[in-house]
Amino acid sequence: MAAAASPAVIARILKRKEQEKKQKQHQHHHHHHRHSKRRGSHQGSNRTPSPATSPKGSPSTSPTSHFPVSPRRGSHPSPRISPKHPRPRRGSSPNPVGSASLPSLPSSHTNNLLTPSQSHSPAGSPVEQHDRTITDLTFVFGKNGSAHHKGSNHSRDASPKVSPGASPKSSPKKSHAKSNGSEEQANAHVVIVGGGYAGIAIARKLQGKINFTLIDPKECFHHHIGALRSAVRTDFAKKTFIPYDATFGKRFKQGRVKDVNTSDRTIILETGETISYTHLVIATGCTGPFPGRVDDTITTDEAISRYNNLAEQIETADKIVIVGGGVAGIELTGEILSAHKNKNVTLIHAHQHLINDDVLPGMRTKLHEKLARYGVTFILDERVKNLEEVATNVSKPTTVKTDAGTEVSADLVIRCTGVKPNTAVFTNNLGGKLDDSGRLKVNELFEVDGLEHVYAIGECNDVAEVKMPRHSTAQGELLAENIVRKLDNKEMKPHTHGQLMMEISLGPNAGVSQVKGLILGSFLTKYRKSKDLFVHRFWKKVMKQEVPH
């Protein structure tokens, strides 16, 4: 066993270590001021500076005298770098590679320009890092999206994470409310009719802040952005139905609204049950033909079965006619031809150009060119006149006829025509608040014309912007913020329009996007949307649930 060190030896060791520590702490200080100290000592004496004081014999007052003596050959003095701002490694660039060539995206979507591995990590999906963006897609889609709101921060991640099956807290955050606002928040009850993109957006933002009830006829949120891929790939449909109760717990109520009474602030369900509200939010969206939309009278299992059945019909058909050249018709055509390259697909559209006039001509041109390379046959500016007589979504030889006399033989006809507002239930008491198209008339705060504490958001209102999930999400998030502000006796923020941002997928690996006036092709569209159609984002980031396999 080694002999123990004497106290004197231990003292010397400790003293030496303390000196070494002090020497290291003052080393850079001494190095930086070494020459200035020498200059001070020279000023205090009559000695002539030695040649070592200034390189190459320069006097101590030369411009380089404050740098270390005798710098290495070829080196350049540089300022010290704070530990918080480390010097970049050799070969690195202060900006990501290629950042100068990337288009300038909306501030709410800049986090989405990730590498493929980042954008599809278990933590999120292509838009997810949007909608931190959508806001919600503001949108997804997110912060969503092109509809920006002054002074607001539409971050989806601002909502508290909810464990599946757990009931969210309904008590208000009193630290954010005034003395009278906290009492109003505690007594508030927001009833949200409709669980589409706008409905779940406002519900998520109200969780943990204001008591609310979300009402929808279905037991699951239908992520209809992925509906067209569900019609082609049998493994995809189940990923587009996300249970409400696992996210909202007792705040969700499955049911169908029969009527609304704004005078006593109640809504009546078909079961006869009456629910009182302090604030009513109508977010009933739109209805449309299958496969773009799903009838809310059928169950989730029945809907998945319908999608799988249509996928089988598409696989067996040789000649397919798609009626409608809007977003749904274009995306379905792309999905079909990405999965079945040898199909004979004809796209019939009642207007001169694909899609609508809201997008730039360059986007319509690029979409047309890409589909033409897939081998699509276009019949434009002609309307199908026998659509009601033709069997749709089922393999059956038939002839499609247009008003211009064109006849097309088909094995399968799929309808992708437009949608209409789902507001029929409100014609009784809110009939005077509907415009000619059936949408509820609202102001810049989404307040229904002439009604206090009644709002309409998403596709069912008459806000003059493209009806798309990204915009619906942004409206829901803004209204949630405004309701909290109103209860706190703060001024509400008006809705403002931003530049249109639209992404159209043409199968998992292709698509076209319009972002801030720029037309982008398949590379960015693929990783932002096409690869998984925001499925992971809505399961994990929005609804806080695990994606089914």
Side-chain angles (χ1 to χ4, degrees), residues 124-145:
S125 81
V127 277
E128 314 161 335
Q129 305 284 335
H130 140 108
D131 219 280
R132 305 184 169 143
T133 48
I134 303 135
T135 156
D136 241 280
L137 348 153
T138 334
F139 94 43
V140 90
F141 213 26
K143 151 168 80 203
N144 152 82

Side-chain angles (χ1 to χ4, degrees), residues 126-447:
V127 277
E128 314 161 335
Q129 305 284 335
H130 140 108
D131 219 280
R132 305 184 169 143
T133 48
I134 303 135
T135 156
D136 241 280
L137 348 153
T138 334
F139 94 43
V140 90
F141 213 26
K143 151 168 80 203
N144 152 82
S146 62
H148 300 299
H149 308 286
K150 296 179 182 178
S152 60
N153 177 20
H154 301 296
S155 172
R156 290 175 186 256
D157 295 340
S159 298
K161 189 168 183 179
V162 180
S163 302
S167 177
K169 296 180 181 179
S170 60
S171 59
K173 291 186 176 180
K174 295 188 178 182
S175 59
H176 296 286
K178 296 183 179 180
S179 58
N180 58 340
S182 61
E183 183 178 351
E184 290 188 25
Q185 286 192 22
N187 295 328
H189 180 216
V190 180
V191 171
I192 307 164
V193 181
Y197 291 97
I200 65 169
I202 186 172
R204 288 285 293 117
K205 289 296 182 181
L206 291 178
Q207 273 186 311
K209 300 176 183 178
I210 306 294
N211 182 33
F212 71 89
T213 300
L214 174 65
I215 303 173
D216 196 273
K218 305 182 298 297
E219 71 267 32
C220 290
F221 162 71
H222 182 215
H223 178 53
H224 65 71
I225 295 175
L228 289 316
R229 186 165 297 172
S230 301
V232 178
R233 302 172 188 264
T234 55
D235 62 337
F236 202 79
K238 64 184 179 181
K239 298 179 181 180
T240 62
F241 292 92
I242 311 176
Y244 289 115
D245 58 1
T247 299
F248 301 112
K250 294 180 180 180
R251 302 283 176 246
F252 169 68
K253 185 175 186 63
Q254 186 175 359
R256 189 182 304 276
V257 173
K258 180 181 179 181
D259 208 346
V260 57
N261 189 328
T262 57
S263 60
D264 62 2
R265 296 192 185 185
T266 58
I267 63 166
I268 301 93
L269 303 183
E270 286 187 343
T271 59
E273 181 180 358
T274 299
I275 301 176
S276 299
Y277 65 82
T278 59
H279 301 74
L280 174 63
V281 179
I282 300 172
T284 48
C286 284
T287 61
F290 182 84
R293 303 294 174 107
V294 171
D295 189 346
D296 60 18
T297 62
I298 64 176
T299 66
T300 298
D301 289 341
E302 290 171 338
I304 293 173
S305 179
R306 285 192 66 184
Y307 277 114
N308 291 339
N309 179 66
L310 180 56
E312 294 171 0
Q313 303 292 315
I314 290 173
E315 187 173 7
T316 59
D318 292 325
K319 295 180 291 184
I320 302 173
V321 171
I322 307 295
V323 181
V327 175
I330 292 171
E331 290 198 333
L332 179 59
T333 301
E335 292 291 344
I336 291 173
L337 291 174
S338 67
H340 310 286
K341 301 185 184 302
N342 297 322
K343 298 293 182 182
N344 182 343
V345 179
T346 300
L347 184 60
I348 303 177
H349 191 46
H351 304 283
Q352 275 188 320
H353 306 287
L354 294 176
I355 210 168
N356 52 47
D357 295 333
D358 296 294
V359 301
L360 296 172
M363 185 170 187
R364 290 198 296 261
T365 300
K366 200 169 190 69
L367 285 167
H368 194 286
E369 290 173 350
K370 284 183 175 289
L371 291 176
R373 285 198 293 269
Y374 286 172
V376 177
T377 300
F378 298 95
I379 300 177
L380 302 178
D381 205 18
E382 297 184 27
R383 189 178 301 274
V384 176
K385 66 179 183 180
N386 66 332
L387 186 57
E388 302 302 327
E389 305 167 10
V390 174
T392 58
N393 303 329
V394 59
S395 294
K396 182 179 180 181
T398 189
T399 300
V400 178
K401 301 177 182 180
T402 73
D403 55 2
T406 304
E407 296 187 357
V408 183
S409 298
D411 299 324
L412 177 64
V413 178
I414 304 176
R415 184 173 183 171
C416 290
T417 51
V419 296
K420 61 181 181 180
N422 185 22
T423 56
V425 69
F426 303 109
T427 55
N428 184 28
N429 283 317
L430 300 180
K433 314 298 182 183
L434 301 173
D435 65 9
D436 293 338
S437 66
R439 289 188 165 88
L440 286 159
K441 292 181 283 188
V442 299
N443 61 16
E444 70 278 3
L445 299 175
F446 309 121
E447 295 171 328

Side-chain angles (χ1 to χ4, degrees), residues 31-36 39 53-55 59-69 77-78:
H31 179 74
H32 184 67
H33 294 285
R34 178 174 55 182
H35 193 66
S36 60
R39 183 173 58 187
T53 303
S54 302
S60 61
T61 57
S62 69
T64 58
S65 63
H66 60 283
F67 293 116
V69 179
S78 60

